[in-house]
Amino acid sequence: MITKNHLIFDILNVYRSGKQSDDENISERQVGFWVDNTRALLVKRELDKENYISSDLIQTIGCVELELVDASECGCYTVGCKILKTKKPIPKLIENSSRAMLTRVGPVQIGSTPYALIPYERAQWVMESRYNIIPKSFLHNGYLYVIPNTPAMNALKVISISGIFESPEDLSGFNTCEDGTGDPCFTNDSVFPITNWMIEPLKDLLFKNNLRVEYQTPADNLGNANHDIEPNSTK
């Protein structure tokens, strides 16, 4: 398993030719940003080619807090009807040609039955139906909504959400416990959500499209008061 910090260190080590410098012209944060963007590009290409979703790409927010709101807030129901909504916006999901890559919404307990995932356009008809046997969930304006199937479910406080997110680091704003005292759902030392075969293509694309520009950007490498400019690399 590889972490984001492992990837950043490996990429910078190649870029520096194994040498450390106190006058670094590229930051770890910048490389991390490129890593996320390049991973998202590779994942989108793969999802457009195949229906299979590798579990290596999926991240889980284990404890997402909910609040009960008026259903008219989501723009499709009459005032007075209640619906559950996440307190925070959900990190942006990667999309293929047909849908956002939300893979599971359900109770936080492992092995529990997940809720049905439906498009926003179907939500009104589900809410009005008397045959809402299992809870339904849908995305709208960055938030996730849950349609309860029993009155008792209105008291639900937390759910678990899994999917393929554009920026794994966005999950750092969520914690693993309801009271907010748990570990962040993602840090740069967490397992990075990428398949093994994507790692080398990610590095190749990053060096070709991003670090190549850094190599060619002029810099004052002489360090004198004259600000003499010379290329970062002779390549």
Side-chain angles (χ1 to χ4, degrees):
M1 298 293 183
I2 194 166
T3 69
K4 188 173 180 180
N5 273 337
H6 287 151
L7 281 169
I8 292 171
F9 175 81
D10 190 23
I11 291 165
L12 281 175
N13 194 48
V14 174
Y15 172 73
R16 297 164 175 162
S17 300
K19 299 177 182 178
Q20 297 293 325
S21 172
D22 293 331
D23 187 24
E24 185 61 77
N25 63 344
I26 180 172
S27 68
E28 292 182 4
R29 186 172 183 83
Q30 180 66 66
V31 175
F33 175 76
W34 289 334
V35 165
D36 285 344
N37 283 356
T38 307
R39 168 193 170 270
L41 174 65
L42 290 171
V43 171
K44 287 176 183 178
R45 287 178 180 175
E46 191 65 16
L47 292 175
D48 284 339
K49 289 191 300 182
E50 300 182 14
N51 292 322
Y52 170 73
I53 299 175
S54 171
S55 60
D56 292 335
L57 302 174
I58 295 173
Q59 291 176 278
T60 296
I61 309 175
C63 222
V64 181
E65 292 186 278
L66 299 172
E67 59 183 345
L68 195 65
V69 299
D70 196 293
S72 61
E73 180 179 315
C74 71
C76 56
Y77 307 120
T78 56
V79 175
C81 193
K82 299 297 182 180
I83 192 171
L84 293 163
K85 174 189 175 184
T86 56
K87 288 185 177 181
K88 291 182 179 181
I90 300 304
K92 189 174 181 181
L93 292 148
I94 286 180
E95 299 182 10
N96 67 0
S97 57
S98 60
R99 67 183 181 91
M101 288 292 105
L102 183 65
T103 59
R104 183 190 182 277
V105 176
V108 297
Q109 293 81 10
I110 296 175
S112 58
T113 302
Y115 308 150
L117 304 175
I118 63 172
Y120 167 68
E121 292 75 19
R122 279 190 54 201
Q124 180 174 353
W125 314 115
V126 171
M127 195 76 172
E128 294 175 352
S129 172
R130 66 182 66 182
Y131 302 108
N132 185 24
I133 300 174
I134 62 174
K136 310 291 194 301
S137 59
F138 62 92
L139 291 166
H140 182 58
N141 287 341
Y143 290 84
L144 187 124
Y145 292 82
V146 176
I147 304 174
N149 65 329
T150 65
M153 195 177 169
N154 286 340
L156 186 65
K157 298 300 182 184
V158 292
I159 56 173
S160 172
I161 296 175
S162 298
I164 306 178
F165 298 93
E166 281 208 354
S167 175
E169 193 171 344
D170 286 348
L171 275 67
S172 63
F174 292 84
N175 286 27
T176 56
C177 295
E178 179 182 354
D179 60 6
T181 61
D183 296 328
C185 289
F186 182 83
T187 72
N188 281 1
D189 290 315
S190 303
V191 175
F192 195 63
I194 191 171
T195 59
N196 286 335
W197 74 261
M198 288 182 182
I199 294 174
E200 291 308 316
L202 181 147
K203 294 177 185 177
D204 289 343
L205 283 171
L206 199 147
F207 274 101
K208 177 182 178 181
N209 298 329
N210 302 109
L211 286 168
R212 182 179 181 184
V213 175
E214 293 294 328
Y215 272 127
Q216 295 174 346
T217 301
D220 181 8
N221 293 325
L222 299 180
N224 58 29
N226 295 325
H227 300 289
D228 301 303
I229 301 298
E230 62 181 27
N232 281 318
S233 171
T234 57
K235 296 181 180 180

